[in-house]
Amino acid sequence: MTRRDGAAAPVTVGVSLKTYFGHERARAWFADLAARAGAHPAVASGAVRVFVIPTYLQIPAAAEAFAGTPVLVGAQDVSEFEPGPYTGEVTATELAEVGVAVAEIGHAERRRLFGETDAVIARKAAAALAHGLMPVLCVGETERLSERDAAAATVAQLAADLAGAPTGPVIVAYEPVWAIGAPEPAPAAHIAAVTTAITAALRADLGRTGSAVIYGGSAGPNLLTRLGDTVDGLFLGRFAHDPDSLVAVLDEASALATLRQAQGPGQAQGPSQAQGPGQGRGPDAGAAA
């Protein structure tokens, strides 16, 4: 997508660590990525936007490690409630206070394991936006559908998940549930059909100017190159546990950002047209989101 001023929006690469890392391993990973991302030209220039979502307990360590770098720190969830008598909840107010910039909302695991409905997710998105956090809103069909039906179902889910939410940009992470943890991501043509529909829906809503659409679900090497300008980036899972592999994706994102800047606004390209690092490798080298 493009910004209101017509300039190319940054290519976004996000990482959720879920609960794979203990505290000390997380601290070491943060330090490694902070050094690498801080020295990456595309990240330093803002052409590539990076966010990292650790566990709640790891947020202060992440904020300390990434201070002075462009890397944004996120939370894996957010309370739908304002501060008050809600035991075990973490509010958007407190997350913003400690420097959190983005909040992951509506992941398939939260929907499946904790019974979160679109109504609950919409309240969480509203709370995040009301307190200056950008939602990373996870959407996607549970069963494999045709491209048209998947696009329609996902756009409808997006509308339900943002119902009543204040204006403001969001990062929509398209994660077809059937592709999460699979040996390969969804086919490029399928991803492109759904993300294009999501982008059109966001562009039609003037209150969502500045939003981005990224893909997650067994995302890995060369996928961003294959998708070209049909997405605004990737949402990575276990693949990003290896900092070398994550930097390889940042290089691909840099190549896409350069191509976007050269093309200018309104010249989106389809999948498989972008050139970048890793050309010729299949997307099955990725790991589960």
Side-chain angles (χ1 to χ4, degrees), residues 17 26-27 29-38 50-54 58-74 246:
L17 295 179
R27 288 174 65 91
W29 189 89
F30 298 153
D32 194 348
L33 180 59
R36 295 169 185 249
V50 180
F51 66 82
V52 171
I53 303 181
Q58 294 162 5
I59 286 173
E64 179 181 2
F66 295 121
T69 78
V71 177
L72 305 176
V73 176
L246 176 52

Side-chain angles (χ1 to χ4, degrees), residues 78-82 92-93 105 121-133 165-166:
V78 63
S79 177
E80 63 185 279
F81 303 109
E82 293 296 313
T93 304
I105 299 169
I121 291 162
R123 291 194 291 271
K124 290 186 174 188
L129 285 164
H131 293 284
L133 304 180

Side-chain angles (χ1 to χ4, degrees), residues 105-192:
I105 299 169
H107 191 277
E109 292 160 358
R110 299 293 309 179
R111 297 176 191 260
R112 175 174 57 87
L113 296 174
F114 301 99
E116 292 191 0
T117 64
D118 288 329
V120 170
I121 291 162
R123 291 194 291 271
K124 290 186 174 188
L129 285 164
H131 293 284
L133 304 180
M134 182 181 293
V136 177
L137 181 59
C138 301
V139 298
E141 72 277 17
T142 57
E143 299 180 356
R144 186 161 183 173
L145 304 172
S146 69
E147 294 171 8
R148 175 178 292 184
D149 289 346
T154 304
V155 169
Q157 185 182 49
L158 174 65
D161 291 344
L162 288 175
T167 59
V170 299
I171 298 173
V172 179
Y174 171 53
E175 296 191 308
V177 178
W178 52 270
I180 297 175
E184 298 182 0
H190 183 98
I191 297 170

Side-chain angles (χ1 to χ4, degrees), residues 193-265:
V194 178
T195 56
T196 298
I198 295 171
T199 298
L202 291 170
R203 283 179 172 163
D205 184 350
L206 297 180
R208 302 294 167 212
T209 299
S211 294
V213 181
I214 62 179
Y215 173 79
S218 300
N222 195 45
L223 181 58
L224 188 55
T225 299
R226 293 180 61 209
L227 292 174
D229 215 24
T230 61
V231 297
D232 296 312
L234 294 180
F235 194 21
L236 304 173
R238 282 177 286 170
F239 171 77
H241 292 183
D242 177 2
D244 289 338
S245 299
L246 176 52
V247 170
V249 173
L250 296 181
D251 290 341
E252 288 187 56
S254 176
L256 179 57
T258 299
L259 188 63
R260 282 182 163 189
Q261 292 166 357
Q263 287 181 323

